[in-house]
Amino acid sequence: MKKSLSVVATLFAAVAAQGQYAPVGDKIKTSWAESIDVNNVHPEYPRPIMERPRWQNLNGLWNYAITPKGAAAPGQYDGEILVPFAVESSLSGVGKTVGDSKELWYNRTFTVPADWKNDDVLLNFGAVDWKCDVWVNGVKVGSHTGGFTPFSMNITQALNRKGKNELSVRVWDPTDRGTQPRGKQVTKPHGIWYTPVTGIWQTVWMEPVPATHISALRTLPDIDANTLTVDVLDNAASADGMMAEVVVKKDGKTVASGRSINGNPVEVEMPADVALWSPSSPNLYDLDVTLYKNGKPVDKVRSYAAMRKFSTRRDDSGIVRLQLNNEDLFQFGPLDQGWWPDGLYTAPSHEALVYDIDKTKDWGFNMIRKHIKVEPATWYTHCDRNGIIVWQDMPSGDTNPQWQNRRYFNGVEKYRTPESEAQYRKEWKEIMDCLYSYPCIAMWIPFNEAWGQFKTPEITAWTKAYDPSRLVNPASGGNFYTCGDVLDLHNYPGPDMYLYDAQRANVLGEYGGIGYVIPENIWAPDRNWGYIQFNSPKEVTDEYVKYAEELLKLADKGFTGAVYTQTTDVEVEVNGLMTYDRKKIKVDEDRVRDVNRRLCNSLNKKK
């Protein structure tokens, strides 16, 4: 009887909590917003690239308060907020703007599972925008700056092993009144500039780990040497007595393995019949990674890897082409900004998050340009599993120098302050670190257009040296220098090759922007725009196909990749292939799929 009463009480509490929560505002919403469960929000394991079996999800309803910047911790809270949705979003249940003169506080309690009693405990944040400080039971456990990358804190010494623990988080975000990388957020949204995103916007979770444990993996395939190198990083002060082991599996069977000591990366010889990764065959290998100390296993994680190579090569016509696995490939995909009308930076659910990727694949694209945003780890894993190449932007910030995108730059770059430059370099390195092992990422893009562009040859050289396994696109559509692997032009609305570099790969990093308003699926009734406007799916599709046919001709002349703007409408931009709420597709999918596949396969005929 006691057990039955406990179950009833739990169910009653769940219903009560759900009843107090509701999305706010009068903007359009996705269909996924209708099924939000505050007790089960984003329940998926948040880091599939390095997975442990035990973890605890801290998403759900937290207390929140908005206080003047620099004020003491609040004595009482303003209400509840649904984590991990930003405070400005509808799905947070709050929908308030914070601004640079105030701070956002979060508070909740949690208990530590009894079977973690002999473990250290890590508190993990997927992403918090922008500066946060964290306390557990009144003990300061850490701080972090940077709105797009995950971070962890060892909270073991601050814990009560029995009973409740109190977790408090303070966040400050200057949005466009600071110089930090921020993407398209502005204090006053308009045009191509969107609603601010403040606070926790990815999953918060805990995991038990041994005192000596694996802290990160850096996985590097080499298809020419047929090796897989895995750098197993740990938190030990010394490599003495430490050994790392990597076991590679395919379909549950071990196909290769390797070990290393003294902090060396593990080099694994792959089988002769190795399966390569590509959009048409996204083959992945499972990895079991074990850390030993003095001969005894102390930590183990599961991961995965792919054998693939991104490079460039001059073809028989003298054109430098993008290559995948030493074969020419026209890389073609949409500009994907990853915004949601109800969750802003945060998709309402995992199903919603991967929907855009699945539609991109279904439309015949083989690539996505992730535009001035970094997604949760599960997004990149879905691209890995489904064979979508990713061009990864650095989120922009600070101010523009002179923008001179029709010729090579001969002006004076606007240098950042030392503080701004240091923050950029810190965040760019952290982004590259957290995304390094994902097979899908083909290209790093440090700058978009001229926004915040500075020391371009130096930043490009550092990026290439830090990760020589990928291509570097110095500035997509920006001020052009003779550096990096790519010359990237932007042109709206139709394709145009107004510059050409015989020494690098030439791509069209943005074009299109065909606008079409569907009145019942728009963010605002009177402020909608696209680069050009049409009035029906047929008109939009006709224009899309016309541009694609022009691009096919330019691919023959030298373009080797292109990006169409864009996957979805975003706020008042109505130039998406589908509406902002994902409820309407605005093109004839069969016609789009046909011409997209012809573009992606356009270089095959040369073989």
Side-chain angles (χ1 to χ4, degrees), residues 120 202 244 295 340 364 385 418 436 464 526:
D120 280 12
Q202 290 186 30
W340 301 83
R385 291 172 176 166
Y436 182 90
K464 188 69 175 180
D526 56 354

Side-chain angles (χ1 to χ4, degrees), residues 139-211:
V139 178
K140 182 76 172 286
V141 296
S143 301
H144 183 260
T145 57
F148 300 95
T149 50
F151 55 97
S152 299
M153 299 167 178
N154 191 321
I155 61 173
T156 307
Q157 295 187 58
L159 290 174
N160 295 321
R161 291 292 184 170
K162 298 180 180 179
K164 290 185 178 180
N165 293 270
E166 183 181 20
L167 171 60
S168 299
V169 179
R170 178 181 65 194
V171 179
W172 176 69
D173 180 18
T175 312
D176 56 344
R177 294 177 179 170
T179 60
Q180 82 289 350
R182 59 178 170 83
K184 288 198 171 183
Q185 307 172 55
V186 293
T187 304
K188 297 180 179 180
H190 62 281
I192 64 169
W193 310 105
Y194 315 140
T195 303
V197 173
T198 301
I200 298 168
W201 67 273
Q202 290 186 30
T203 293
V204 185
W205 54 293
M206 298 190 303
E207 61 180 332
V209 295

Side-chain angles (χ1 to χ4, degrees), residues 519-581:
E520 62 269 29
N521 303 95
I522 57 174
W523 176 259
D526 56 354
R527 294 185 289 123
N528 299 291
W529 74 276
Y531 288 93
I532 49 175
Q533 292 273 13
F534 290 95
N535 299 305
S536 72
K538 183 182 185 305
E539 291 177 346
V540 173
T541 305
D542 287 346
E543 196 73 3
Y544 181 93
V545 172
K546 183 182 82 173
Y547 291 163
E549 296 284 359
E550 293 173 5
L551 186 55
L552 275 164
K553 297 174 184 176
L554 291 172
D556 194 53
K557 295 179 179 179
F559 274 145
T560 188
V563 178
Y564 176 81
T565 300
Q566 61 185 329
T567 309
T568 72
D569 296 347
V570 183
E571 299 203 354
V572 301
E573 292 185 42
V574 291
N575 48 15
L577 293 166
M578 54 184 164
T579 56
Y580 196 18
D581 56 13

Side-chain angles (χ1 to χ4, degrees), residues 75-335:
Q76 61 183 21
Y77 286 82
D78 300 341
E80 291 185 317
I81 184 171
L82 185 59
V83 171
F85 299 104
V87 67
E88 295 90 348
S89 73
S90 170
L91 292 182
S92 70
V94 179
K96 294 179 181 178
T97 300
V98 179
D100 65 323
S101 64
K102 296 181 180 179
E103 292 171 331
L104 172 64
W105 285 84
Y106 295 85
N107 179 271
R108 65 159 291 161
T109 59
F110 66 90
T111 57
V112 180
D115 63 352
W116 295 10
K117 62 182 179 180
N118 296 320
D119 298 294
D120 280 12
V121 177
L122 299 183
L123 174 63
N124 303 311
F125 292 84
V128 180
D129 196 0
W130 174 74
K131 180 184 185 299
C132 80
D133 301 281
V134 183
W135 292 262
V136 173
N137 297 323
V139 178
K140 182 76 172 286
V141 296
S143 301
H144 183 260
T145 57
F148 300 95
T149 50
F151 55 97
S152 299
M153 299 167 178
N154 191 321
I155 61 173
T156 307
Q157 295 187 58
L159 290 174
N160 295 321
R161 291 292 184 170
K162 298 180 180 179
K164 290 185 178 180
N165 293 270
E166 183 181 20
L167 171 60
S168 299
V169 179
R170 178 181 65 194
V171 179
W172 176 69
D173 180 18
T175 312
D176 56 344
R177 294 177 179 170
T179 60
Q180 82 289 350
R182 59 178 170 83
K184 288 198 171 183
Q185 307 172 55
V186 293
T187 304
K188 297 180 179 180
H190 62 281
I192 64 169
W193 310 105
Y194 315 140
T195 303
V197 173
T198 301
I200 298 168
W201 67 273
Q202 290 186 30
T203 293
V204 185
W205 54 293
M206 298 190 303
E207 61 180 332
V209 295
T212 301
H213 56 268
I214 298 168
S215 56
L217 304 175
R218 287 174 66 87
T219 305
L220 179 65
D222 185 338
I223 69 167
D224 298 322
N226 203 30
T227 60
L228 180 69
T229 301
V230 182
D231 198 359
V232 183
L233 306 177
D234 60 63
N235 70 323
S238 169
D240 292 346
M242 308 298 292
M243 181 174 70
E245 178 185 57
V246 176
V247 177
V248 182
K249 297 181 177 181
K250 185 70 173 173
D251 301 323
K253 297 180 180 179
T254 298
V255 298
S257 65
R259 292 183 172 188
S260 73
I261 62 172
N262 299 325
N264 289 293
V266 179
E267 296 182 8
V268 181
E269 281 195 32
M270 296 297 285
D273 61 346
V274 68
L276 300 182
W277 183 95
S278 70
S280 59
S281 300
N283 295 296
L284 297 176
Y285 287 90
D286 295 319
L287 306 181
D288 287 340
V289 183
T290 306
L291 184 67
Y292 295 84
K293 185 174 183 180
N294 298 323
K296 296 182 179 180
V298 292
D299 195 15
K300 182 176 182 178
V301 297
R302 295 196 63 190
S303 186
Y304 65 87
M307 296 299 291
R308 60 94 184 99
K309 174 186 177 183
F310 293 111
S311 58
T312 62
R313 183 178 180 274
R314 195 177 301 278
D315 70 9
D316 294 340
S317 301
I319 298 170
V320 178
R321 296 293 186 186
L322 297 178
Q323 290 202 317
L324 172 60
N325 301 333
N326 297 321
E327 295 183 355
D328 297 347
L329 178 67
F330 193 91
Q331 297 182 21
F332 182 46
L335 190 78

